[in-house]
Amino acid sequence: MSEILLMKGNEAIAEAALRAGCQGYFGYPITPQSEVLEYLSQHGEKRGMVVLQAESEIASINMIYGAAGAGARVMTSSSSPGISLMQEGLSYIACAELPCVVVNINRGGPGLGTIQPSQGDYFQAVKGGGHGDYKLLVLAPATVQEMADLVFDGFDLADKYRNPVMILADGALGQMMEKVAFREYDVTKREIPKWATTGKNGRKERNIITSLHIKSEEMEKVNQHLQKKYCEMQEHEVRFQEVQTEDAEYLLVAYGLSARIAHKSVQIARDNGIKAGLLRPITLFPFPSNRIHTLCKQVRAVLTVEMNAGQMYEDVRLAANGVVPVEFYGRMGGIIPSPEEVYERLKRMVSPESVSQEVKI
Amino acid sequence: MSEILLMKGNEAIAEAALRAGCQGYFGYPITPQSEVLEYLSQHGEKRGMVVLQAESEIASINMIYGAAGAGARVMTSSSSPGISLMQEGLSYIACAELPCVVVNINRGGPGLGTIQPSQGDYFQAVKGGGHGDYKLLVLAPATVQEMADLVFDGFDLADKYRNPVMILADGALGQMMEKVAFREYDVTKREIPKWATTGKNGRKERNIITSLHIKSEEMEKVNQHLQKKYCEMQEHEVRFQEVQTEDAEYLLVAYGLSARIAHKSVQIARDNGIKAGLLRPITLFPFPSNRIHTLCKQVRAVLTVEMNAGQMYEDVRLAANGVVPVEFYGRMGGIIPSPEEVYERLKRMVSPESVSQEVKI
Amino acid sequence: MNATAELDIQFKDLDVVYERPDTLTDARLHYCPGCGHGVVHRLLMEVVEELNIKDRTIGVAPVGCSVFAYNYLDIDMQEAAHGRASAAATGIKRVFPDKIVFSYQGDGDLAAIGTAETIHTANRGEKILVVFINNAIYGMTGGQMAPTTLDNMKTSTSPFGRNPDHVGHPLKITELLAMLPGTYYVTRVAVNSPRNVRIAKKALLKSFEYQMQGKGLCFVEVVSNCPSGWKMTPVESNKWLEENMLPMFPLGDIKVPSDE
Amino acid sequence: MNATAELDIQFKDLDVVYERPDTLTDARLHYCPGCGHGVVHRLLMEVVEELNIKDRTIGVAPVGCSVFAYNYLDIDMQEAAHGRASAAATGIKRVFPDKIVFSYQGDGDLAAIGTAETIHTANRGEKILVVFINNAIYGMTGGQMAPTTLDNMKTSTSPFGRNPDHVGHPLKITELLAMLPGTYYVTRVAVNSPRNVRIAKKALLKSFEYQMQGKGLCFVEVVSNCPSGWKMTPVESNKWLEENMLPMFPLGDIKVPSDE
Amino acid sequence: MTKKILNEENIFAGFGGQGVLSMGMMLAYAGMIENKEVCWMPSYGPEMRGGTANCIVIVSDEQISSPIVTKFDSAIVLNQPSLDKFESAVKPDGLLLYDSTNIINPPTREDIMIVPIAASAEAMKMENTRIMNMIVLGGLLGVRPIVQIETVIEALRKVLPERHHKLIPLNEKALRRGMELAGSAAVVTAG
Amino acid sequence: MTKKILNEENIFAGFGGQGVLSMGMMLAYAGMIENKEVCWMPSYGPEMRGGTANCIVIVSDEQISSPIVTKFDSAIVLNQPSLDKFESAVKPDGLLLYDSTNIINPPTREDIMIVPIAASAEAMKMENTRIMNMIVLGGLLGVRPIVQIETVIEALRKVLPERHHKLIPLNEKALRRGMELAGSAAVVTAG
Amino acid sequence: MAIKGAVQVEIETCKGCELCIEACPQDTLALSKDINKSGYHYAVQIHDNCTGCTNCALVCPEAIITVYRQSKKKKGEREEVARISNVRNNVSISINDNDN
Amino acid sequence: MAIKGAVQVEIETCKGCELCIEACPQDTLALSKDINKSGYHYAVQIHDNCTGCTNCALVCPEAIITVYRQSKKKKGEREEVARISNVRNNVSISINDNDN
Ligand SMILES: Cc1ncc(C[n+]2csc(CCOP(=O)(O)OP(=O)(O)O)c2C)c(N)n1
Ligand SMILES: Cc1ncc(C[n+]2csc(CCOP(=O)(O)OP(=O)(O)O)c2C)c(N)n1
Ligand code: SF4
Ligand code: SF4
Ligand code: SF4
Ligand code: SF4
Ligand code: SF4
Ligand code: SF4
Ligand SMILES: [Mg+2]
Ligand SMILES: [Mg+2]
């Protein structure tokens, strides 16, 4: 670990990309993540990274396609509306199996909405906002330190699976400053992949990057291959953090900033004699369904906390599969819930007379 | 009902739009739905509809935004990659609460994929491929007759809820010909909505179409309003069709073309002594969760059949909520499953030794 | 030097020769001090008022600093997605050709992300007015490089100055548009001096008049300032505009109606 | 009239003066009979072979009839999203500036949906070659109107002929691009006659040479045919091209290097 | 062979340009006129000209559930690749009707009815290669009277634009000629 | 009042341009140098200049869970709207420190410690309005010694680019002056 | 001497950008030393040499300058001036000539 | 007279587009009456007046025409011609002059 620095989350992402040997960054300004492009415009070129402000998010993601397809380690970043514009490109990249990191510093939607922090893009990131059956590997940092760490991991996972990796964090994580230390990372280890279109360069067979398989039989094979890969991710890459779950009677599930708030709510609850615990998914896809299912058998009820109208909530319910009531607390439009209000909601769930029977269907 | 015609599904959509008093169509060619634009280019202008080939799907959806915002009844259509490009626009339209009909004639993805039929865009349509919490009202026709009928209903629902309506059908439904009769529809009934930007025209307050609410408190209110609307849809607009479910011991759930195949599989199953039934959701959002939940209590197992890797499957599992095993059979990449293979899969589920215990999580 | 003055003017002996147009709402502009957006807003509304078309004019605001334009212009308005204002305006005008429609867009909006929509709206000859506020920067997002940022100009994403070897020279999209047969009237104005404001107003007036006559697309580029983005006082910014922007973006008509 | 002829030619006494370049794969082209795409493919590969850059050339195919170009060109290739080939090519060239990169795009791809990418790739002066196949129609999707469709020309989406009052006149994007300082060499060629094929090849050759010298963007428009979309025989289509396309899209260099 | 309740599942296959799709469409159209349930499902190929084309046409007295079927009552094939592909997809006792002019390797199954028609040659004789498909359709209707020839002609009248109505007599002739040919065809196998 | 385990949750608020965000940042930076856990969270406004700005700064001996808090140990406010907004958000026994030059309606709570500092006036006196925020920060540290003044100066040295290091003595003076002012301030209420 | 022209500035809305001051050929205007509620020094008329040329109003981005000119109509024909509310009228104003 | 030039067409790949025929200044080429496996009438050399000008090959979209010309080298210096497989060589060809 190197020196400890105080940095914005967005800057930590940019600096981590530089240290992870990212060769190209293509992006378009949008609040609350423009610092990534700005930081790299300042520091990228002299440290050997190609940094280009594209004319749009669509151009950005397709530059990523080209550069990743040619074997370079590349990254782009944007925020909600800009990420929506990338959906076609992401679907292409997923199908062509190109490794890259795409950062979404989520703001409040839908529409132009607000620039305040939100987790409203969970579905888009996890279920696939683009067309067809594909998955991004989605990482959800909760601290500025993780903003940096998951960039390194993201690039490695992208290479390992030939899959786009999304880092999904809300605007507050992008804007806030915390301590961060960057890991030592040997950038020379990464080689240009064999499948990349680098020019034939003596190779007998040419390399082709495409997502077109006009014959259904072939396209189905491509899909089966992708699905197999996603199953492997599900098997090997699930990451989560648990807080006081050993003896928990009530389980909170939350990711990113919400998880930090829920963490404090757990502390408040424990202070008030309620045995609460927290599971924080770090990978949103693959989702820690098995672990949540196991915990569901132990607890009396589950509360999902998100800065949206209830998106991860569905994955938690799928994991619970009916063994325990799963409830939801969320704020929208850029509002961050306070630990106290989450605790209040938890209390309502705990006191049996007020436990909501409604299952949001 | 008027005269019976033989028409392609795509043409039926176009003709229905004309008869439903659609005032503007903006679209960009893409297989397998270019017939919609072509049919309207032929017939639209002389029947008083504005028909414009836009420079892209992004332009199309934003022309829709403008025209719908000005109070016109409007429609666009595309297929999977083109719909991906519309995700930002759809999120804007949903937030600004503009009524319009958007047709997705789903082809096989991800990426450029294939032009063969698919149901791989279910998640995108139903969970929200764009950013933020919003819902399209999603209608899934299964016959050419329904391709027409749901256009009329789609426009009415769009107006009723001030919400974009998506008609989601696979490429085969767009390309196949069946009989169709167009309902009588009084186009004069529709008035230009009061909120539309028609020019102030004597009004004291100006009308504004926007999705921007920079203050979180306001944006949260907008979100709450939207969520309330979606609950109302859930309450009032759920539509589905049932086939031989009264005494069913095994329930198939499928929509669109898959449902017709599953229908035949049910017939085969019944012929072979298996009491199978089918539930076909017509509205994908709002989803017939309650009805499926009820049926789940009656049957021994549920089989979801889709032309994808298992998307609606999640909604069926959420509806089942663990009361009965839910399994999945799907084909991908443009392949349409045959009634026989679905029946074979059903048989595997019925014969207990082979019932798969795996729950896809 | 501080001075104190007392003026006691008898306003009732005087006639009003200039006042805020009624077509502007009472809302306080959110723009930075000295920002040109406010002047253009006012001019637009003066023209709308003078032509008496307030009741059938529909404006489309962009995403950019003027995203809130609808708060100030007392007419029906839409707020379009970033870069798509001209597409939205096309949608409106096509279904309701009797309305007077304009879009109002910044250089990022119109000449970066919205380039395709801009070019094709112009090429189709949509019968609308496009007002293009060129301040050579992304004002709203905090001063990033725009397609029209001048060579060597420093912005937050060109911290060492725009390097034309790296990102090319400023895009003179107005000149491109003038080449398209679909454009009817293309002009470049500024609002940095009383004289230029008068000319700018005339350009807007003409454009609306052409639209009322059913002519093709009118395109008015307004070379404007961004004191905040440029990190200057408003007065400095207008001077800098004169000395740096105008040589690159010379004022004047670029295309005048051929049928007049 | 049917004739029968018997020719017995002793090939071993002869030298080969023209043969299929090795840089084309053995795959049979999927194009319709007489389609110009095939000719341009061959010319590109002849030039790549002659310049001996096969090992470091990367091509980007569009979405359009030439979507499968990678099946025929025996070099490393990418297939980009509709309209984004030049953005993908930019990505490649930026991270690996020593490679020779070209995109190959149709008129729908390059001049409709991809307009923004085209303009900005050119304006930035990306050091790539853009080959633009202008056949005035959307071939792949079955003959819809393109931005370059001629006035009054019938297509499946302009069944009564392209109406310029409704959708504007053909977009001469090549002329626009030539105005941008970022473009280094801009030319328009055709492949409808042996003579034009020779000129086209020269243009491609020059473009690759310029790229090898590190010069800016080269843009070669190829006015081409679409017998299927135009509903003509190949021979008719080439004649129609000559008589109708070329007056609108005149051949020749539009911008030649200023530093040569 | 004729069921009480009609439910005919046919596949028409050949080169693009041979009129395979419109032949199927005419059958569907005629079925509709005769108040039957119909479904015409093309297999649409890549976004390009040429290649093979086929369509499934179902004509039924009952509501049609699945428009996709894998086994057919009749396969009508106009070129070798289509024959090779669909011979095995004919139901036992089903019909395989093909244009013998274009097919070098004839079918070999013995459990189905096989009817060769020299439709292309016949069309040449009739000096209009475009009507080949109508000869074939006539042939089909000769063997399997799914709809009346008269209905097909009525359908043609509705489908063709006025200016092409002068072609109807020729089409009728082709249909009837096909019927004759099928009647007299050397039925290779009748399972 | 000083807990054994330090966990200070502060809010800094004022007009954009008053140096509210950088004041908070210097505190966070100094906390980091003193090996504490720190978190600086701005409330970033619309994508535009002007308006109000504020940031939450947490300095703690323990890992910081929620960076969002609704009740503060200290609120440092530089204009009237901020005072109006955050007075009620101070924890009982907490601190409200404000620039009395800019505030017309002083706070009224009686259960908290209220410290007015005429920071703007003082900055004018020191002939550099830019250092107003450092006076305020000095004031805060005078009342709540979250970090050492020396550490803040060390932080300044690290944060400021070399060419601005000549300003460090002035900043130090401002910090110390603030501390003095706070010490002698008419503490309106000490609950 | 009867004045030729005069201006009124909506003080609370003024952002002190000084563009009007710069634009005035008569140097009639200056920034106040006081600040308004938004914290801006605002523009005020400090000399009675205004010609009513409207230059200041033309460049004012806030559209808050009303310009008056000596009436050419005779007394009695004149309408009463309407829009003078919302400005602090005829007050003693401290002028701040410093740039800031 | 020794011929000056000659062409070979890959018959199975030819799509019968006739562009080569149209391009030949010598009228050396014509479409066959036979069709190839893809169903196309293919181009063949029907006269021995070919000059080896390569026009036909230049316009052929399928890149399937090989053009030969009388060697300027003396016998013995010449290399053996390679690419003559994959074409039906020296067969008796029926020519179909009809457009279709
Ligand atoms: C799809 C999308 N991308 C990016 C943004 C962020 N954004 C908002 S305004 C803007 C640019 C503003 O610049 P300009 O159009 O020049 O207007 P100005 O603020 O200078 O008037 C950008 C990039 C956005 N809101 N949406
Ligand atoms: C996003 C998207 N929109 C539309 C399409 C459908 N599409 C495929 S090719 C094409 C246009 C082809 O025309 P052109 O670029 O001129 O190439 P040509 O086929 O004429 O060579 C279109 C619209 C698509 N594949 N993706
Ligand atoms: S940032 Fe620039 S363009 Fe935006 S309001 Fe401020 S001065 Fe005007
Ligand atoms: S459709 Fe047109 S462009 Fe496409 S291959 Fe056929 S002739 Fe060529
Ligand atoms: S009206 Fe003219 S003279 Fe009077 S203050 Fe304004 S600019 Fe100066
Ligand atoms: S121009 Fe307007 S806002 Fe600026 S100082 Fe003058 S009156 Fe105030
Ligand atoms: S080489 Fe020249 S002369 Fe010989 S066939 Fe070809 S075009 Fe004719
Ligand atoms: S040009 Fe080529 S494909 Fe066309 S007919 Fe001649 S040899 Fe055949
Ligand atoms: Mg700008
Ligand atoms: Mg084309």
Side-chain angles (χ1 to χ4, degrees), chain A residues 58 80-82 84-85 87-88 91-92 94-95 107-116 118-121 123-124 127-135 211-217 219-220 223-224 226-227 230 234 287 289-290 293 307-311 313-315 317-319 321-323 330-335 359-361, chain B residues 58 80-82 84-85 87-88 91-92 94-95 107-116 118-121 123-124 127-135 211-217 219-220 223-224 226-227 230 234 287 289-290 293 307-311 313-315 317-319 321-323 330-335 359-361:
Chain A
I58 292 188
S80 311
S84 287
L85 286 172
Q87 292 306 319
E88 188 205 23
S91 178
Y92 270 71
C95 189
R107 59 191 241 182
L112 188 48
T114 168
I115 55 170
Q116 300 304 320
S118 166
Q119 299 183 320
D121 301 353
F123 274 148
Q124 186 190 56
K127 303 295 167 193
H131 57 287
D133 290 287
Y134 71 91
K135 293 283 178 198
S211 66
L212 170 65
H213 305 277
I214 198 79
K215 292 209 189 101
S216 291
E217 295 70 25
M219 191 64 207
E220 187 170 54
N223 267 295
Q224 282 159 347
L226 291 176
Q227 292 300 321
Y230 304 147
Q234 189 71 61
F287 193 70
S289 309
N290 288 336
H293 188 72
M307 280 147 59
N308 62 34
Q311 299 191 9
Y313 178 48
E314 291 197 358
D315 282 333
R317 279 174 55 218
L318 282 170
N321 201 31
V323 305
R331 295 300 299 267
M332 293 175 291
I335 301 219
V359 176
K360 191 185 160 198
I361 275 178
Chain B
I58 292 190
S80 310
S84 286
L85 286 171
Q87 292 307 319
E88 189 205 23
S91 178
Y92 270 70
C95 189
R107 60 191 241 184
L112 188 48
T114 168
I115 55 171
Q116 300 304 320
S118 166
Q119 299 183 320
D121 301 353
F123 275 148
Q124 186 190 56
K127 301 296 166 193
H131 56 288
D133 291 286
Y134 72 91
K135 293 282 178 199
S211 66
L212 171 64
H213 305 277
I214 198 80
K215 292 207 190 106
S216 292
E217 295 71 24
M219 191 65 207
E220 187 171 54
N223 267 296
Q224 282 159 347
L226 291 176
Q227 292 300 321
Y230 304 147
Q234 190 71 61
F287 193 70
S289 309
N290 289 336
H293 189 71
M307 280 145 59
N308 61 34
Q311 300 191 9
Y313 179 47
E314 291 197 357
D315 281 333
R317 280 174 55 216
L318 283 169
N321 201 31
V323 305
R331 295 299 299 266
M332 294 176 290
I335 302 220
V359 176
K360 192 185 156 195
I361 275 178

Side-chain angles (χ1 to χ4, degrees), chain B residues 78-329:
Chain B
S78 187
S79 178
S80 310
I83 298 287
S84 286
L85 286 171
M86 295 186 183
Q87 292 307 319
E88 189 205 23
L90 282 172
S91 178
Y92 270 70
I93 286 174
C95 189
E97 299 195 77
L98 303 181
C100 62
V101 170
V102 177
V103 179
N104 180 1
I105 304 297
N106 198 338
R107 60 191 241 184
L112 188 48
T114 168
I115 55 171
Q116 300 304 320
S118 166
Q119 299 183 320
D121 301 353
Y122 178 93
F123 275 148
Q124 186 190 56
V126 167
K127 301 296 166 193
H131 56 288
D133 291 286
Y134 72 91
K135 293 282 178 199
L136 309 176
L137 208 155
V138 185
L139 305 175
T143 60
V144 171
Q145 181 62 52
E146 259 186 353
M147 293 285 259
D149 290 345
L150 293 181
V151 167
F152 293 99
D153 293 344
F155 278 119
D156 288 342
L157 287 166
D159 276 338
K160 179 169 173 192
Y161 290 98
R162 282 191 66 178
N163 208 69
V165 168
M166 174 165 280
I167 296 184
L168 182 65
D170 68 86
L173 282 167
Q175 294 298 323
M176 71 196 247
M177 287 182 133
E178 290 187 316
K179 296 201 296 194
V180 55
F182 293 93
R183 69 175 68 154
E184 300 298 333
Y185 188 92
D186 181 4
V187 299
T188 62
K189 269 193 321 204
R190 183 183 193 265
E191 280 169 10
I192 298 223
K194 292 209 172 32
W195 46 260
T197 59
T198 54
K200 283 181 73 176
N201 209 11
R203 232 186 302 114
K204 246 198 106 183
E205 289 302 315
R206 66 198 189 285
N207 283 341
I208 293 168
I209 301 296
T210 186
S211 66
L212 171 64
H213 305 277
I214 198 80
K215 292 207 190 106
S216 292
E217 295 71 24
E218 283 169 30
M219 191 65 207
E220 187 171 54
K221 283 213 189 82
V222 169
N223 267 296
Q224 282 159 347
H225 166 73
L226 291 176
Q227 292 300 321
K228 204 168 139 254
K229 193 168 83 169
Y230 304 147
C231 287
E232 275 164 33
M233 291 178 191
Q234 190 71 61
E235 208 159 308
H236 302 299
E237 305 302 343
V238 172
R239 295 197 204 178
F240 52 87
Q241 184 199 351
E242 290 184 39
V243 178
Q244 293 184 281
T245 47
E246 312 77 36
D247 62 342
E249 292 173 356
Y250 296 92
L251 179 67
L252 276 72
V253 184
Y255 75 93
L257 188 68
S258 298
R260 291 180 64 171
I261 288 151
H263 187 163
K264 187 137 181 186
S265 310
V266 167
Q267 293 169 345
I268 301 174
R270 290 268 171 182
D271 289 349
N272 286 279
I274 300 175
K275 285 192 178 166
L278 168 71
L279 185 138
R280 173 172 78 90
I282 297 171
T283 50
L284 300 183
F285 180 84
F287 193 70
S289 309
N290 289 336
R291 181 59 190 150
I292 291 176
H293 189 71
T294 308
L295 283 171
C296 281
K297 292 183 191 150
Q298 163 195 318
V299 300
R300 294 196 196 161
V302 178
L303 180 64
T304 309
V305 181
E306 297 177 78
M307 280 145 59
N308 61 34
Q311 300 191 9
M312 181 177 71
Y313 179 47
E314 291 197 357
D315 281 333
V316 177
R317 280 174 55 216
L318 283 169
N321 201 31
V323 305
V324 78
V326 182
E327 303 196 15
F328 174 72
Y329 186 70

Side-chain angles (χ1 to χ4, degrees), chain A residues 88 92, chain B residues 28-31 33-34 53 56-57 78-83 85 107 112 115, chain D residues 31 35 37 62-67 81-84 104-111 113 132-142 144 146-148 225-226, chain E residues 47-48:
Chain A
E88 188 205 23
Y92 270 71
Chain B
Y28 187 76
I30 185 170
T31 309
Q33 69 77 50
S34 299
Q53 178 174 335
S56 70
E57 292 86 355
S78 187
S79 178
S80 310
I83 298 287
L85 286 171
R107 60 191 241 184
L112 188 48
I115 55 171
Chain D
Y31 301 112
C35 174
H37 278 303
V63 181
C65 278
S66 47
V67 68
H82 190 35
R84 324 301 176 191
Y104 182 107
Q105 306 178 250
D107 41 10
D109 193 86
L110 180 140
I113 192 168
F132 169 37
I133 308 294
N134 177 5
N135 59 11
I137 207 156
Y138 286 16
M140 184 178 223
T141 42
Q144 294 83 7
T148 52
N225 63 350
C226 176
Chain E
E47 299 165 287
M48 207 83 40

Side-chain angles (χ1 to χ4, degrees), chain C residues 83-134:
Chain C
R84 324 300 176 192
S86 68
T90 297
I92 302 171
K93 184 75 182 186
R94 287 276 172 159
V95 290
F96 297 119
D98 293 342
K99 307 293 176 186
I100 305 297
V101 180
F102 70 90
S103 74
Y104 182 107
Q105 306 177 250
D107 40 10
D109 193 86
L110 180 139
I113 192 169
T115 306
E117 288 75 15
T118 305
I119 300 258
H120 285 277
T121 300
N123 194 57
R124 282 191 307 264
E126 298 295 340
K127 296 175 175 58
I128 62 170
L129 162 64
V130 176
V131 182
F132 169 38
I133 308 295
N134 177 7

Side-chain angles (χ1 to χ4, degrees), chain D residues 32-117:
Chain D
C32 307
C35 174
H37 278 303
V39 180
V40 184
H41 284 18
R42 195 191 66 226
L43 295 182
L44 273 166
M45 289 304 97
E46 286 178 8
V47 168
V48 164
E49 202 161 298
E50 286 165 25
L51 291 172
N52 198 19
I53 50 173
K54 182 173 167 171
D55 267 357
R56 60 181 181 117
T57 299
I58 304 160
V60 184
V63 181
C65 278
S66 47
V67 68
F68 288 113
Y70 55 73
N71 282 339
Y72 315 124
L73 315 187
D74 189 19
I75 54 171
D76 277 8
M77 286 204 69
Q78 299 193 5
E79 203 300 300
H82 190 35
R84 324 301 176 191
S86 68
T90 297
I92 301 171
K93 185 74 181 187
R94 287 276 171 160
V95 289
F96 297 119
D98 293 341
K99 307 293 175 187
I100 305 297
V101 180
F102 70 90
S103 75
Y104 182 107
Q105 306 178 250
D107 41 10
D109 193 86
L110 180 140
I113 192 168
T115 307
E117 287 76 13

Side-chain angles (χ1 to χ4, degrees), chain A residues 15 28 99 178 194 289:
Chain A
E15 179 63 32
Y28 187 76
E178 291 187 317
K194 294 211 171 34
S289 309

